[in-house]
Amino acid sequence: MPDQPAHAPYDALLLLSFGGPEGPDDVVPFLENVTRGRGIPRERLKEVGQHYFLFGGVSPINDQNRELLAALRAEFTAHGLDLPVYWGNRNWAPYLTDTLRQLVADGHRRVLTLATSAYASYSGCRQYRENLADALAALEAEGLPLPRVDKLRHYFNHPGFVGPMVEAALAALAGLPADVRDGAQLAFTTHSIPTAAADTSGPAEAHGDGGAYVAQHLDVARTIADAVRKETGVDRPWHLVYQSRSGAPHIPWLEPDICDHLEAVHAEGALAVVMVPIGFVSDHMEVKYDLDTEATAKAAELGLPVARAATVGADPRFAAAVRELVLERAAAERGARPERCALGALGPSHDLCPVGCCPARAPRPAAAGADSPYA
């Protein structure tokens, strides 16, 4: 019997992302996809879309996914990993269902998924899994053969994800004026979510105040802050803060907001702040607008020097981490006990989302988990 390839039993990798508009005419239809079922009037969506119109109606996320796609393919080829990489989005072309349909037409039946969201939460994990289930249901309705779809574990603390963020934080610090550099604080930013969603994020045993979502971000922030301290010799204050809040104002969301935080630390005498967007894989619209535009304008209003660290994006170390995660999961599926790399105190995440992990507000089928109807 010939030796199995290192990626067996998987025969394809799916890069699964959020998607974004690629021109002014795409903005409102894209937002209609994102908010489907919420009954938000078209005129309100036009107001929300102003962030995109400031950038010509183009979100950077699709081009950034193209760069990551190219980086993954190059990494796989360089290491002799004959695993095709496909790309599908939840809310814009290329749509997930179309991509899975192509995967099936190309003969693939065991698909491993990389989601461009590194942490546990409903919107960052289970909702992706629900969209996978929706796409599989569509293929089933068309009478097509269904692939078995799994999802890579959360990679928030993988060295190939954390390492580039450490380097980016150091580069941002180096870009500050010399007279404020040693007095600069670190503000680790991530997407705010409703506190109720945070409290139920991760497996049931992790539920509680902030759940796995907050715990994972705090662990990454602490890991980066420690590395920056060792490199610079400066023990500087750091905080986990939030951005990109949306939704009804009466619903509690994670706080403090980055702009409120800048006001608070300025009032306390902070000399400068480096914003480190640990919650985002790439420099998409929420980074470009909420940090580079809105938060930077607030800092200028305060007279507070700020710098923003780059996201991981298509960094070769991240592409290598994905390759390692693919081989790790493949080995586990073959019954081996592979080494699982992780920094910080929390250790590697689970391969299979358990029942009760990041529950939905209303029950919906989700693929790639212990409760998947498509196992």
Side-chain angles (χ1 to χ4, degrees):
M1 182 177 176
D3 290 338
Q4 289 182 305
H7 55 76
Y10 297 106
D11 57 19
L13 177 70
L14 168 65
L15 173 64
L16 176 56
S17 193
F18 194 81
E22 300 202 74
D25 293 342
D26 297 345
V27 173
V28 173
F30 162 73
L31 292 173
E32 287 175 334
N33 288 342
V34 174
T35 61
R36 186 180 292 114
R38 300 184 202 173
I40 299 176
R42 190 175 179 87
E43 290 306 311
R44 173 59 182 149
L45 294 179
K46 289 181 181 178
E47 294 176 20
V48 174
Q50 290 307 311
H51 294 180
Y52 293 96
F53 292 127
L54 286 173
F55 295 86
V58 179
S59 168
I61 193 170
N62 277 358
D63 277 345
Q64 290 161 3
N65 280 323
R66 291 183 183 101
E67 292 174 8
L68 179 56
L69 198 66
L72 292 172
R73 288 170 175 164
E75 173 70 18
F76 287 3
T77 298
H79 288 83
L81 193 63
D82 186 19
L83 188 70
V85 188
Y86 292 74
W87 168 37
N89 289 326
R90 293 170 48 197
N91 298 298
W92 201 249
Y95 287 103
L96 170 59
T97 301
D98 294 336
T99 300
L100 281 181
R101 192 180 291 115
Q102 185 62 55
L103 275 162
V104 168
D106 292 344
H108 301 297
R109 297 295 182 268
R110 283 297 300 268
V111 180
L112 195 51
T113 303
L114 166 68
T116 55
S117 178
Y119 299 84
S121 70
Y122 172 75
S123 57
C125 183
R126 176 149 188 123
Q127 196 168 19
Y128 282 81
R129 294 175 49 225
E130 289 176 353
N131 293 146
L132 281 167
D134 291 343
L136 290 169
L139 266 59
E140 187 175 35
E142 296 169 13
L144 296 174
L146 296 186
R148 161 79 180 269
V149 180
D150 292 327
K151 180 176 175 290
L152 287 174
R153 67 175 170 94
H154 299 301
Y155 48 84
F156 63 92
N157 57 1
H158 193 285
F161 188 65
V162 176
M165 291 191 289
V166 171
E167 186 176 285
L170 290 167
L173 277 167
L176 287 171
D179 60 336
V180 299
R181 192 175 303 145
D182 284 351
Q185 300 189 12
L186 301 175
F188 295 100
T189 75
T190 191
H191 205 302
S192 183
I193 61 175
T195 56
D199 293 346
T200 55
S201 58
E205 61 270 19
H207 293 178
D209 189 14
Y213 186 75
V214 172
Q216 289 170 359
H217 281 88
L218 283 172
D219 197 47
V220 171
R222 187 176 297 108
T223 301
I224 296 172
D226 286 347
V228 169
R229 175 180 50 78
K230 290 175 183 176
E231 185 68 26
T232 63
V234 178
D235 189 8
R236 62 188 78 245
W238 63 268
H239 305 84
L240 177 63
V241 301
Y242 302 93
Q243 61 176 90
S244 312
R245 181 200 162 121
S246 60
H250 68 280
I251 297 176
W253 283 54
L254 293 173
E255 296 177 336
D257 176 79
I258 177 62
C259 290
D260 295 338
H261 174 72
L262 292 176
E263 287 187 340
V265 297
H266 177 258
E268 294 167 359
L271 296 182
V273 173
V274 168
M275 300 179 289
V276 189
I278 61 172
F280 304 91
V281 172
S282 65
D283 282 12
H284 57 68
M285 186 57 69
E286 287 166 317
V287 175
K288 290 291 188 183
Y289 182 80
D290 295 337
L291 295 183
D292 294 353
T293 304
E294 195 172 48
T296 300
K298 170 58 70 175
E301 173 190 316
L302 296 169
L304 178 66
V306 294
R308 198 266 290 174
T311 51
V312 173
D315 189 290
R317 288 165 291 183
F318 181 46
V322 174
R323 175 178 55 81
E324 291 172 10
L325 288 166
V326 166
L327 296 179
E328 170 196 297
R329 180 62 182 272
E333 288 294 307
R334 297 194 303 268
R337 297 174 63 88
E339 180 183 357
R340 297 174 180 267
C341 295
L343 299 176
L346 296 181
S349 186
H350 48 259
D351 278 341
L352 194 67
C353 292
V355 176
C357 192
C358 305
R361 286 161 290 186
R364 284 182 58 191
D371 55 354
S372 171
Y374 297 104

